[in-house]
Amino acid sequence: MPHQPVRRIATTALCATFLLGTAAPAIAAGSDPGSSSSVEALRAPVPGADALLGQVGALGSMSSVVTPVTDLLTEVLKADDGKLSAEAAQKHADAIKAAIDTAKATVPATTTTPKSASPDDAKAARKDVKGDALTALQTAVDALLKASTAGDVAGVATAATGVVTGLVNLLAATLLGAGLPAPTLPGLPKLPTLPSTGLPLPSTASLPSTSTLPKTPVLPQAPAALLN
């Protein structure tokens, strides 16, 4: 009798081992990361991933340029008389130029020119708006650095305003030219629309009346001899 529990445990363990041995291949097949169904699931692309990656890259390029430029603005505007040392100015200049050059290298080429466009229209369609904004921002930064190292307080104020404007232009060019989704935040002001009704029409009072127009003279009838 004392041996029955041990035998019962052994029998139970043997049955469990048999069941596990039978079911293990099926379980392994279902959980095998190399099975065809799981591989296909892992390889399934995210819908619209390419377009989203382009938008993410555009947003990332904005921050990579905005950060070094705002660092320069902060240091200049907090400095006495807006003056920076030559070493500090060079450090900011190198960081900003590297960021702008990197952003320019990631600007995609425009390939949406209509086939029926004229040469002037095609040239305008290929115009790199974001690249132009980056170039203008670099020019504004150079002007700020020049005024700051020279200790020109008035020049610093003017150039700093130009840099801020350049940043705004870059942000606008990126947001409008990178195919980003339209903002949905409630409370954002809407763009003004042109009125379609109520426009003033030219008055007809100044137009000449048809009764005052000269009458067409009556031509004399040709002689009968000429008609024959």
Side-chain angles (χ1 to χ4, degrees), residues 8-213:
R8 187 175 302 169
I9 294 173
T11 303
T12 304
L14 181 62
C15 293
T17 303
F18 176 77
L19 291 174
L20 288 175
T22 304
I27 297 173
S31 61
D32 183 11
S35 62
S36 59
S37 60
S38 60
V39 169
E40 291 299 326
L42 291 175
R43 290 179 179 176
V46 176
D50 293 339
L52 289 172
L53 284 173
Q55 296 173 2
V56 171
L59 293 173
S61 66
M62 289 169 56
S63 63
S64 65
V65 174
V66 171
T67 299
V69 174
T70 53
D71 287 344
L72 168 64
L73 284 168
T74 301
E75 187 168 348
V76 169
L77 295 176
K78 287 185 176 181
D80 294 337
D81 297 330
K83 185 175 176 59
L84 290 182
S85 65
E87 293 77 9
Q90 189 61 48
K91 181 184 70 173
H92 286 292
D94 293 341
I96 294 173
K97 186 177 187 306
I100 289 179
D101 289 345
T102 300
K104 283 184 176 181
T106 60
V107 174
T110 303
T111 58
T112 58
T113 306
K115 294 182 179 180
S116 59
S118 65
D120 292 338
D121 293 336
K123 182 178 180 180
R126 291 194 300 268
K127 187 178 181 181
D128 180 9
V129 178
K130 184 177 178 181
D132 291 346
L134 288 167
T135 300
L137 178 60
Q138 181 67 72
T139 301
V141 166
D142 293 341
L144 177 59
L145 289 170
K146 181 178 179 180
S148 178
T149 53
D152 182 2
V153 179
V156 165
T158 302
T161 302
V163 172
V164 172
T165 302
L167 282 176
V168 173
N169 289 338
L170 174 61
L171 296 177
T174 303
L175 292 174
L176 298 177
L180 294 169
T184 59
L185 183 64
L188 288 177
K190 296 182 179 180
L191 294 176
T193 56
L194 293 176
S196 57
T197 59
L199 294 176
L201 297 177
S203 175
T204 58
S206 59
L207 296 178
S209 174
T210 56
S211 60
T212 60
L213 294 177

